[in-house]
Amino acid sequence: MPIVQANSINTTALVVPDLYVQIVPPQNLVLNGVPTNVVGVAGSAQWGPVNQPIVIGDMAAYARTFGAIQARKYDMGTHVAIMTQQGASNFRCVRVTDGTDAAATSTGVSTCITFTALYTGTLGNSISVVISAGSKASSWRAAVSVPGFFPEVFDNITGTGNAFWVALAAAINSGTGVQRGASAFITATAGSGSTSVTAATMPAFSGGTDGVATPATVATNLIGVDTIPRTGMYALRGQGCSIGVLADLDASSTWTVQNAFGLAEGLYMICTGPSGDTIANAVTTKATAGLDSYAVKLMHGDWIWWTDTVNGAIRLVSPQPFAAGRLANLSPEQSSLNKPLYGVVGSQKSGLIPSQVTTYSSAELAALFQVGIDVISNPQPGGRFWGVRAGHNSSSNAATNGDNYTRMTNYIAATLAAGMGIYVGQVVNQSLFRRIRATQLRFLAGMLQQGLLGSTDGSLPYNVTCDITNNPDSRTSIGYVQSDTQVKYQAINEKFIVNVEGGQTVIVSRQTLPTGRA
């Protein structure tokens, strides 16, 4: 009684009389939507791996991996902190430097051992190594400490002369057991010296630099290169991000490059104009840059005042993290228009609260929105709070210039790309057509049930065609199968008109219903 997987034997050519049990997998694949809250962000930091995407969920995880927020332009921690305030909680962080970053070192004991910070950056300068008596007799322990982190303790290291220093280096580099792995802060190199060990604090670490000495180079490296190993923005390829931010990168020459990356990866890139930009210059600059795409949201260079509690200062930060964080905390059918932003204490145009005196006029907003530039301002249509004022991307096409168009299109496309590939290599017949169509319809029905799709008249806002009408034999015979999907998105109420007719001469009409009718 053989048990086999479906299609693994030829059931028309069986010879031996027997019972054959075939395991048939579910015929209709169920698609689960891809996440739409993943923000890819690249910027500078004071610690951590360079040009490697790291998964970060909150500021505590960021601090452990990249160190503290730094009060400077291009700082990745500042952007992550602001986006976290807006509700974002899923990041892929890429640290970028200007190439001059260096790891801190300690001379340890001359000719016996030297210590080097695991990563480059100024955080390494605060590392300390203390050697003291171990828990067991005739043993020693080394404690590696960094302010703000739990110390690493390498206990019960034995040996005399050079053998001890070799054992200490091995403990730091490889760990001492299951409960004490290798150091996350330093590496050690044993020398040939045989100086006797004594309880002591090793010489201070020094020489660590963040690699931000040349801001222009940092800005260039935020874009990076698209060859292996990828760097900067390109390190975010294949990371499943739905929103992309290059921290404080305000060079208009990079906008179309970011656009190409966003289109290729299905990312909504959030770009910004330079700090203190004027409306007239912003309009001219966008036209000159040649940016007109649903893949980029361009924020006006009216930078935002934000309270940096780590450094105890009110700082100017680009509008990117506010817009990106808010979008990450919204379902993809939503617009950033008229949604409150948190942590804003003012803007360059409006000044600091409570001294805010200047707001955008309708004419100024129209000048920006007509060319595809969004802005953060106060008030909003819903009241006196800070928010994104248009909810638009940089496209000049009214059919595609909403946040919701970009995010819904990317969401649906990414979900289909992630799940429909299973049908490649299968036999082309009516069963395949049915299963392809059923899979997509089930996914779209789920979106409808959850409110991501809808219609004003109650009709189904989607349709999937996959049959002989769009798959003639002339195509399927050479290996082609085509599925045509139509999805109508829900529109965003941007211009709400309320008509009021009032006056002492107004005649009010009322509808009279038959008796008993409500």
Side-chain angles (χ1 to χ4, degrees):
M1 293 185 297
I3 299 176
V4 298
Q5 298 297 313
N7 302 319
S8 64
I9 60 173
N10 184 349
T11 56
T12 66
L14 300 176
V15 175
V16 178
D18 208 337
L19 170 64
Y20 297 86
V21 178
Q22 290 195 94
I23 306 299
V24 180
Q27 295 301 294
N28 291 332
L29 175 69
V30 178
L31 290 180
N32 189 49
V34 298
T36 58
N37 66 339
V38 182
V39 183
V41 55
S44 65
Q46 67 159 179
W47 182 251
V50 177
N51 291 315
Q52 297 180 33
I54 304 296
V55 178
I56 296 295
D58 53 32
M59 283 307 297
Y62 179 89
R64 289 193 300 271
T65 308
F66 295 106
I69 294 172
Q70 302 297 296
R72 63 190 177 206
K73 192 176 182 182
Y74 308 126
D75 180 57
M76 182 165 59
T78 299
H79 280 240
V80 173
I82 293 172
M83 287 187 281
T84 300
Q85 284 184 318
Q86 314 312 314
S89 60
N90 196 347
F91 305 96
R92 302 296 181 269
C93 295
V94 176
R95 181 188 172 199
V96 171
T97 74
D98 63 3
T100 65
D101 52 309
T105 59
S106 168
T107 55
V109 176
S110 179
T111 74
C112 293
I113 196 167
T114 57
F115 305 104
T116 304
L118 188 63
Y119 300 115
T120 61
T122 53
L123 182 65
N125 297 330
S126 62
I127 299 174
S128 66
V129 179
V130 177
I131 297 178
S132 59
S135 300
K136 295 181 180 179
S138 302
S139 72
W140 298 88
R141 77 170 57 171
V144 181
S145 301
V146 180
F149 296 84
F150 290 110
E152 300 174 335
V153 177
F154 301 88
D155 204 0
N156 300 319
I157 303 170
T158 59
T160 59
N162 182 256
F164 170 79
W165 301 112
V166 171
L168 175 59
I172 290 173
N173 295 336
S174 303
T176 57
V178 176
Q179 294 182 332
R180 176 65 272 164
S183 173
F185 300 127
I186 64 173
T187 59
T189 304
S192 59
S194 56
T195 302
S196 297
V197 60
T198 58
T201 299
M202 296 291 99
F205 280 71
S206 62
T209 58
D210 295 342
V212 294
T214 311
T217 304
V218 175
T220 298
N221 290 345
L222 281 170
I223 294 293
V225 297
D226 199 17
T227 54
I228 305 297
R230 294 187 174 97
T231 64
M233 174 182 72
Y234 295 107
L236 293 171
R237 278 204 188 278
Q239 296 301 307
C241 303
S242 58
I243 299 169
V245 175
L246 305 185
D248 297 335
L249 183 59
D250 54 14
S252 61
S253 59
T254 69
W255 293 346
T256 54
V257 178
Q258 294 185 61
N259 174 55
F261 182 73
L263 289 172
E265 289 292 303
L267 269 76
Y268 195 10
M269 298 300 297
I270 314 299
C271 295
T272 182
S275 175
D277 200 8
T278 65
I279 292 176
N281 185 66
V283 171
T284 301
T285 301
K286 181 178 183 293
T288 303
L291 177 66
D292 190 325
S293 172
Y294 73 84
V296 171
K297 184 178 185 69
L298 179 59
M299 303 301 297
H300 180 46
D302 181 11
W303 286 33
I304 305 302
W305 289 107
W306 173 73
T307 301
D308 180 352
T309 57
V310 173
N311 294 288
I314 296 178
R315 296 169 45 205
L316 268 180
V317 183
S318 83
Q320 291 169 290
F322 296 93
R326 198 65 184 93
L327 285 167
N329 196 29
L330 290 172
S331 188
E333 83 282 4
Q334 299 289 330
S335 167
S336 60
L337 168 64
N338 206 27
K339 308 297 192 301
L341 296 176
Y342 307 103
V344 179
V345 294
S347 70
Q348 288 176 301
K349 179 178 179 62
S350 300
L352 290 169
I353 297 174
S355 61
Q356 177 189 348
V357 294
T358 306
T359 60
Y360 284 94
S361 67
S362 294
E364 290 173 319
L365 293 175
L368 292 171
F369 300 162
Q370 285 174 347
V371 298
I373 302 175
D374 213 333
V375 67
I376 291 174
S377 67
N378 184 354
Q380 292 284 304
R384 295 199 64 83
F385 57 84
W386 291 92
V388 179
R389 193 60 183 82
H392 286 181
N393 55 50
S394 64
S395 173
S396 61
N397 184 348
T400 63
N401 70 357
D403 291 333
N404 60 320
Y405 174 84
T406 304
R407 304 199 67 221
M408 283 288 283
T409 299
N410 289 345
Y411 170 60
I412 294 172
T415 298
L416 295 177
M420 296 300 291
I422 193 172
Y423 290 118
V424 175
Q426 296 192 14
V427 176
V428 181
N429 51 33
Q430 283 192 343
S431 175
L432 178 66
F433 294 158
R434 178 187 59 78
R435 286 182 284 123
I436 289 174
R437 186 170 182 272
T439 298
Q440 295 183 67
L441 286 175
R442 183 171 297 185
F443 167 61
L444 294 170
M447 292 180 64
L448 177 62
Q449 192 272 333
Q450 292 299 315
L452 276 73
L453 295 176
S455 62
T456 57
D457 60 0
S459 61
L460 278 181
Y462 56 82
N463 182 57
V464 178
T465 301
C466 185
D467 51 33
I468 60 173
T469 61
N470 59 342
N471 288 281
D473 185 65
S474 60
R475 294 273 291 170
T476 58
S477 62
I478 56 176
Y480 288 93
V481 171
Q482 180 173 319
S483 174
D484 296 322
T485 303
Q486 294 177 304
V487 185
K488 183 176 182 179
Y489 303 160
Q490 298 174 95
I492 302 298
N493 182 7
E494 295 184 355
K495 297 93 175 176
F496 183 23
I497 301 172
V498 178
N499 294 320
V500 177
E501 182 183 2
Q504 61 193 36
T505 62
V506 172
I507 298 176
V508 178
S509 300
R510 294 184 179 89
Q511 182 180 6
T512 302
L513 298 177
T515 303
R517 293 280 299 276

